[in-house]
Amino acid sequence: MNFADRLAAAIEGKRSHVVVGLDPDYASLPAEIQSRTGPQPDVADMAGAYQDFLEGLLQDLSEVAVAVKIQVAFFEALGAVGYQLYLGLVARARALGYVVIADAKRGDIGNTSEAYAKAHLDVAGADAMTVNAYFGSDGMEPFLRRAREEGKGLFVLVKTSNPGSQELQDLVLADGRPVYRAMASLVEGWGVAARGESGLSAVGAVVGGTHPAQARELRAALPSTPFLIPGYGSQGATAGDMVGLFGPEGVSAVVNSARAILYAYKKRPLPWREAARREAEEMRDALWQVARRGGAV
Amino acid sequence: MNFADRLAAAIEGKRSHVVVGLDPDYASLPAEIQSRTGPQPDVADMAGAYQDFLEGLLQDLSEVAVAVKIQVAFFEALGAVGYQLYLGLVARARALGYVVIADAKRGDIGNTSEAYAKAHLDVAGADAMTVNAYFGSDGMEPFLRRAREEGKGLFVLVKTSNPGSQELQDLVLADGRPVYRAMASLVEGWGVAARGESGLSAVGAVVGGTHPAQARELRAALPSTPFLIPGYGSQGATAGDMVGLFGPEGVSAVVNSARAILYAYKKRPLPWREAARREAEEMRDALWQVARRGGAV
């Protein structure tokens, strides 16, 4: 089944556009989790702590969040034990009914991209992954083939959420377009052969929620491209910034929040699991209102 | 010690600009290595075969190659056992006196780039890594800090070796520069604070050897930036394409070849280790002649 159709069905089934970003940071873990390790935790201790923490969140958020986005970097930083934990998390999250996005931001020449696509979409078994397309079409082909033929999804970096994104992405081309619009055109083109019954493509785009005007411009330019929108919560984007981004059916975007959900216990007088659930529920409800205003959901 | 100075000293010490790309591919391994596994190798068997193969190459090429470039993708594709092998290879190659470049092409927002820098430069312990700077300065800072302060090196994607690189990288900006020149300017700027006694910076650039005119244009524009040049050998670039890229001292570039060295036994009637060594020696000698013509080595 085409990934875009699967994602749309999941959004409608859970009435949620929330993607929980799994960005574990040992220093931010609740004291209850940290206290299970000794005062000088090694990488195996830290991986065990991540496991306990993320298992709790996955159990409690499965009705609230449509997807999880696993930030591979934080697992790589623990070495092989961390990489093993990443692989286990993909399987566990899929078993709990989440759409699983490997946030790997990989991209290389063709034969190397084939190895990356294999690593994250085949071996790890993620439903979708994030991709950096600086290399162009031949570097993208191994990812695109899996989107066209194997029901996998991609989210290609177009306009990222960080302030420095303007340095390259906003440079203006001779034809008047900024660079990110040229990247967007490539993405829309790659997506044509990967459209599902919904009309949406399995080739999506990463569009930062911290740049609402540019995000709406991209929404208009890319009607068939699902958006993965980072920047909600701790990076500053709000539900109001998402107005107009969900498309006529309300299923053209999902929104990621990581730290604001994971470490919600720091701002709410609640146990950490309950704090995370409450934060995710409020985000879900706020986004649902915005998505309904945009169309027919 | 600044990475650029360390790399220059290694080039002069070994009289070599050769970087061996460690891109293991099970189907291409010599029969002698493949025969040690059963007919249906699992990932542990494949990792063992990679280990045997790469250990042989590392032993035989340590006098010929100044550096190895480990293509992380091919290890990720074997899962956690592959990731463990990658970590072991970095340590082994460093112990044998190679400069070790983790070819990871990572890049993300700041706190995530911090995790990637930690994973490859701190935990794995590579001397340098390849980076994708589509995110801009704030996403680069964790990598740049290690180049300025910790003797680590970076090679930022500027103009890649693949045909599709023109689709985004060659687009012309309103000021007349192609996108890759804008990326080059960012790289040169980031490198100013990371220059060594040689005048070269620890912030280098990936510049494909398959585009010689553009590579020479970049050489002129970036006098302080070391180049990592992929595309030699199986991608088609020759020593002649490298004329003018090594700088006045002959130490401003290193050149990567992967498949043409690793699988040289397919084209030479020699045992695989000897075939690889012969291929690397011929590459070394050809590049040394070219680098001398460019300057004072």
Side-chain angles (χ1 to χ4, degrees):
Chain A
M1 188 177 177
N2 182 282
F3 173 77
D5 293 340
R6 207 144 48 91
L7 183 63
I11 291 168
E12 287 169 348
K14 288 188 182 175
R15 301 175 66 88
S16 173
H17 302 83
V18 173
V19 181
V20 180
L22 303 185
D23 295 21
D25 167 34
Y26 187 80
S28 299
L29 295 182
E32 174 200 336
I33 298 282
Q34 282 199 14
S35 67
R36 297 178 199 171
T37 64
Q40 300 284 337
D42 62 16
V43 289
D45 295 331
M46 292 169 84
Y50 286 7
Q51 166 76 46
D52 291 350
F53 178 62
L54 297 173
E55 172 65 22
L57 291 174
L58 287 177
Q59 286 180 15
D60 280 15
L61 298 176
S62 67
E63 302 292 312
V64 187
V66 68
V68 292
K69 180 175 77 65
I70 304 179
Q71 180 43 267
V72 184
F74 295 101
F75 298 89
E76 277 182 47
L78 295 188
V81 66
Y83 202 82
Q84 184 66 56
L85 176 59
Y86 157 62
L87 297 174
L89 264 181
V90 174
R92 178 64 177 147
R94 292 195 72 209
L96 286 167
Y98 294 95
V99 173
V100 177
I101 304 166
D103 192 4
K105 300 191 178 75
R106 301 300 197 258
D108 211 301
I109 64 171
N111 77 321
T112 304
S113 285
E114 175 62 32
Y116 278 131
K118 184 176 174 190
H120 298 281
L121 298 175
D122 304 351
V123 175
D127 298 295
M129 69 184 287
T130 56
V131 176
N132 186 323
Y134 190 71
F135 278 83
S137 296
D138 51 356
M140 283 293 295
E141 180 52 27
F143 302 112
L144 295 171
R145 185 181 66 72
R146 287 167 171 83
R148 290 191 306 265
E149 299 173 12
E150 298 180 6
K152 299 294 186 177
L154 305 174
F155 292 100
V156 183
L157 298 176
V158 170
K159 174 64 185 167
T160 61
S161 59
N162 59 314
S165 68
Q166 48 88 19
E167 293 172 21
L168 188 85
Q169 299 165 30
D170 290 9
L171 292 178
V172 178
L173 295 166
D175 64 9
R177 294 180 302 168
V179 167
Y180 70 79
R181 280 294 300 273
M183 183 67 94
S185 296
L186 289 170
V187 171
E188 182 82 354
W190 293 326
V192 169
R195 287 191 191 153
E197 294 182 7
S198 61
L200 293 172
S201 174
V203 183
V206 174
V207 176
T210 47
H211 316 292
Q214 290 160 318
R216 277 191 285 276
E217 170 204 334
L218 286 164
R219 178 72 292 158
L222 306 177
S224 302
T225 303
F227 286 1
L228 170 61
I229 304 178
Y232 194 95
S234 65
Q235 287 186 63
T238 66
D241 295 327
M242 307 297 148
V243 171
L245 301 185
F246 294 95
E249 306 297 325
V251 295
S252 295
V254 288
V255 181
N256 184 73
S257 175
R259 286 166 279 176
I261 293 175
L262 269 54
Y263 312 119
Y265 77 91
K266 293 184 175 183
K267 296 192 177 166
R268 293 171 185 259
L270 290 170
W272 62 273
R273 291 173 69 150
E274 198 174 333
R277 191 169 61 242
R278 197 70 65 84
E279 180 79 19
E281 286 169 349
E282 289 180 9
M283 180 179 167
R284 175 195 62 189
D285 296 343
L287 293 176
W288 193 256
Q289 288 302 317
V290 168
R292 284 175 65 95
R293 282 210 301 276
V297 171
Chain B
M1 189 175 177
N2 182 282
F3 174 77
D5 293 341
R6 205 144 49 91
L7 183 63
I11 292 169
E12 288 169 347
K14 288 188 181 173
R15 300 175 66 88
S16 173
H17 302 84
V18 173
V19 181
V20 180
L22 303 185
D23 295 21
D25 168 34
Y26 187 79
S28 298
L29 296 181
E32 173 200 337
I33 298 283
Q34 282 198 13
S35 67
R36 297 179 198 170
T37 63
Q40 299 285 337
D42 62 17
V43 289
D45 295 330
M46 293 171 83
Y50 286 6
Q51 166 77 46
D52 291 351
F53 178 62
L54 297 173
E55 172 65 22
L57 292 174
L58 287 177
Q59 285 179 15
D60 281 14
L61 298 176
S62 67
E63 304 291 313
V64 187
V66 67
V68 292
K69 180 174 78 63
I70 304 180
Q71 180 43 266
V72 183
F74 296 101
F75 299 87
E76 278 182 44
L78 295 189
V81 67
Y83 202 83
Q84 184 67 54
L85 176 59
Y86 156 62
L87 297 174
L89 264 183
V90 175
R92 178 64 177 148
R94 293 197 72 210
L96 287 167
Y98 294 95
V99 173
V100 178
I101 303 166
D103 193 3
K105 300 192 178 74
R106 303 299 197 257
D108 210 302
I109 65 169
N111 76 320
T112 304
S113 284
E114 174 63 32
Y116 278 130
K118 184 176 174 190
H120 298 281
L121 297 175
D122 304 351
V123 175
D127 297 296
M129 69 185 286
T130 57
V131 175
N132 186 323
Y134 190 72
F135 279 85
S137 297
D138 50 357
M140 283 293 294
E141 181 51 27
F143 303 111
L144 295 171
R145 186 181 66 71
R146 287 167 172 83
R148 289 192 307 265
E149 300 173 11
E150 298 179 4
K152 297 295 186 178
L154 305 174
F155 292 100
V156 183
L157 298 176
V158 169
K159 174 64 184 167
T160 61
S161 59
N162 59 313
S165 68
Q166 47 88 16
E167 293 172 21
L168 188 84
Q169 299 165 32
D170 290 9
L171 292 178
V172 178
L173 296 167
D175 64 10
R177 295 181 300 170
V179 167
Y180 70 81
R181 281 295 300 273
M183 184 67 94
S185 297
L186 289 170
V187 171
E188 183 82 354
W190 293 327
V192 170
R195 286 191 191 153
E197 294 181 5
S198 62
L200 293 173
S201 174
V203 182
V206 175
V207 176
T210 46
H211 316 292
Q214 291 162 318
R216 278 191 284 276
E217 170 204 334
L218 286 165
R219 176 75 290 159
L222 307 178
S224 303
T225 302
F227 285 1
L228 170 62
I229 304 178
Y232 194 95
S234 64
Q235 288 185 63
T238 66
D241 294 326
M242 308 296 148
V243 171
L245 302 185
F246 294 95
E249 307 297 326
V251 294
S252 296
V254 289
V255 181
N256 185 74
S257 175
R259 286 165 279 175
I261 293 176
L262 268 54
Y263 313 119
Y265 77 92
K266 294 186 174 182
K267 296 193 178 166
R268 292 169 185 261
L270 291 169
W272 61 273
R273 291 173 68 150
E274 200 174 334
R277 191 170 60 242
R278 198 70 64 86
E279 180 78 20
E281 285 169 350
E282 289 180 7
M283 179 180 167
R284 175 195 62 187
D285 296 345
L287 292 177
W288 192 256
Q289 290 300 318
V290 167
R292 286 173 65 97
R293 282 210 302 275
V297 169

